[in-house]
Amino acid sequence: MKVPFFRLRLSAQEKKEVADALASGWITSGPKVSALEKGICALTGARHAVAVSSGTAGLHLALEALGITVGDQVITTPYTMIATIEAILYTGAEPVLVDIDAATLNIDPALIESKITRKTKAIVAVDIAGCPCDYRRLRAIARKYHLALIADAAHSLGADYRGQAVGTLADATVFSFYSTKNLTTGEGGMVLTGRKRLADEIRLLALHGMTSSGWKRYAGGSWKYDVVRLGYKYNLSDVSAALGLGQLRGFEKRQAKRAGLANRYNRKLADLGGLLDLPFCPDGSNHAWHLYVIRPIPERWGISRDRLIVELENRGVGCGVHFIPIHTFTHVKKILPVGRYHLPICEREAGRAISLPLYPDLTLREADYVCEVIHELAKRFVG
Ligand SMILES: Cc1ncc(COP(=O)(O)O)c(C=O)c1O
């Protein structure tokens, strides 16, 4: 059997939404984008949402609109996708990396305070794999030191922390609608905030700093506008938003499928307890199940993590690694003082992480096959 790491199947309804957008006579940012913003606000309970061209763009704009600039420091995690760090670098600020909690793989709030300096202006927390960070502690630190708190929620649309939806837990929350994410527009993203002025600033920055959009001008508004900031071209098109609207309709159902598959993995791999660590989500939080990351216990296996991935792939099981620690990349080593970093937990956990296939189109039969292969490999390679 072949189980790809990811497979996207769009419904007839989703394709129809895109076809309708194409036929509507207006294909860039317009009514579909506004409808998607409203839809994500309704889903999360957030007050304001601004659609953007990617999660990376959303992080950049959130940081800039919150005043992060050259000479500032922003605390974040090394266990993330490079986009988190690139967005901080775009503002001219320095990312300061803080080690993670081994159970959740999220930034460890207990290690943050010792890294705060007079230059620290913000924390960017990442909900790895869809498990919400410890927002109660992060918010307390942010309040105490007057820092902005930004949630990189690229993985966690649909998750909640102690009953409160991701999207409402930080000064700004950024979702990614990249092709593999829990809700996709192909490429795209969204910034959510409870603060209208922040949302207005982000909207302005996302479209050249112009006071009026093309849709407003051509749909009966005045041709006049001003440019009041150095902005960017980070808007989302209506064609992309149409796909997002279609995806939004099926969101709860797809999330239930992801949770059901994660449960299946949990049950079928439970007996490998002392050989593998399975994903962990703290009591009271709901995981979005974007990724299912297992961590073999290296001392128990006669082969390395990398070889284990090859063995899985040889048996038709596609795998991913989330993530390669960002301070090990060539470019990051050139520009950040990585020699001074002490990030042993990130290095240990990233070195044993394997992401298994997890997506709504995955069948229970396929998930069971993945578990059978892991059992077979455990029999063969565990000493
Ligand atoms: C943790 C994290 N942050 C940010 C991003 C960037 O999102 P995008 O690809 O939409 O720019 C990603 C994308 O995979 C991600 O995994």
Side-chain angles (χ1 to χ4, degrees):
M1 185 183 275
K2 270 222 167 312
V3 186
F5 178 65
F6 179 68
R7 185 172 61 216
L8 177 66
R9 202 182 301 277
L10 296 176
S11 70
Q13 177 63 31
E14 286 160 345
K15 290 177 193 164
K16 186 177 175 305
E17 297 270 359
V18 175
D20 287 352
L22 289 170
S24 72
W26 186 265
I27 61 173
T28 187
S29 310
K32 304 273 184 201
V33 165
S34 303
L36 184 62
E37 290 171 346
K38 287 196 183 86
I40 298 289
C41 282
L43 179 71
T44 57
R47 282 211 200 105
H48 308 283
V50 183
V52 285
S53 53
S54 69
T56 312
L59 286 167
H60 179 193
L61 294 187
L63 287 158
E64 185 162 324
L66 282 160
I68 309 307
T69 188
V70 181
D72 293 342
Q73 290 180 335
V74 175
I75 286 178
T76 192
T77 169
Y79 197 109
T80 186
M81 199 240 167
I82 192 64
T84 315
I85 274 67
E86 285 179 326
I88 296 168
L89 291 168
Y90 296 161
T91 68
E94 179 196 353
V96 173
L97 306 181
V98 167
D99 213 349
I100 57 165
D101 171 70
T104 60
L105 304 177
N106 290 334
I107 192 167
D108 185 346
L111 304 177
I112 291 178
E113 284 191 82
S114 67
K115 291 284 166 55
I116 293 174
T117 70
R118 276 188 302 111
K119 291 182 177 177
T120 311
K121 293 289 156 49
I123 301 170
V124 179
V126 186
D127 300 331
I128 290 297
C131 174
C133 289
D134 188 344
Y135 283 101
R136 191 166 55 95
R137 290 172 74 192
L138 292 174
R139 280 155 73 153
I141 296 167
R143 210 174 308 117
K144 182 169 167 194
Y145 294 94
H146 307 290
L147 309 177
L149 178 60
I150 294 147
D152 178 340
H155 300 180
S156 55
L157 180 65
D160 65 68
Y161 170 80
R162 296 171 184 241
Q164 203 180 332
V166 168
T168 62
L169 294 154
D171 295 306
T173 300
V174 181
F175 294 122
S176 163
F177 300 149
Y178 178 71
S179 164
T180 59
K181 296 297 194 282
N182 292 25
L183 184 147
T184 186
T185 57
E187 295 283 356
M190 201 169 278
V191 188
L192 273 64
T193 178
R195 289 150 56 176
K196 182 170 185 314
R197 282 180 65 174
L198 187 63
D200 289 346
E201 181 74 6
I202 291 169
R203 200 177 293 286
L204 195 70
L205 289 171
L207 200 60
H208 300 296
M210 288 161 65
T211 52
S212 176
S213 69
W215 170 249
K216 275 197 196 141
R217 295 198 305 280
Y218 302 139
S222 163
W223 56 268
K224 288 185 182 169
Y225 61 88
D226 194 6
V227 175
V228 294
R229 293 273 190 293
L230 175 63
Y232 302 88
K233 184 70 167 77
Y234 279 170
N235 56 309
L236 188 74
S237 80
D238 259 22
V239 178
S240 303
L243 176 54
L245 284 168
Q247 286 256 301
L248 196 52
R249 280 185 236 290
F251 184 72
E252 304 290 354
K253 214 167 140 193
R254 287 198 315 280
Q255 285 300 99
K257 278 206 90 175
R258 284 179 179 274
L261 288 159
N263 253 326
R264 187 78 157 205
Y265 278 145
N266 283 341
R267 271 197 290 118
K268 297 253 166 173
L269 298 175
D271 58 331
L272 298 181
L275 307 180
L276 289 179
D277 286 328
L278 300 181
F280 170 80
C281 190
D283 280 350
S285 287
N286 270 313
H287 203 293
W289 295 115
H290 172 54
L291 298 170
Y292 191 93
V293 179
I294 59 167
R295 283 170 287 163
I297 295 165
E299 301 75 39
R300 299 296 314 276
W301 290 74
I303 56 173
S304 67
R305 183 274 309 264
D306 293 5
R307 172 78 193 284
L308 194 49
I309 290 176
V310 171
E311 295 292 341
L312 282 155
E313 288 186 340
N314 283 346
R315 288 159 179 78
V317 177
C319 298
V321 169
H322 299 89
F323 284 98
I324 301 170
I326 68 98
H327 58 288
T328 63
F329 289 125
T330 306
H331 180 65
V332 177
K333 282 198 243 176
K334 273 191 210 150
I335 59 166
L336 293 183
V338 296
R340 276 193 268 133
Y341 292 152
H342 182 59
L343 303 163
I345 302 172
C346 169
E347 284 163 16
R348 188 187 70 213
E349 299 310 320
R352 66 191 187 103
I354 303 177
S355 303
L356 299 182
L358 179 66
Y359 41 88
D361 197 43
L362 187 76
T363 64
L364 288 177
R365 177 73 203 94
E366 287 174 316
D368 289 351
Y369 175 71
V370 173
C371 297
E372 282 159 27
V373 169
I374 294 171
H375 276 96
E376 182 218 322
L377 292 173
K379 271 201 202 104
R380 179 136 174 235
F381 294 113
V382 170

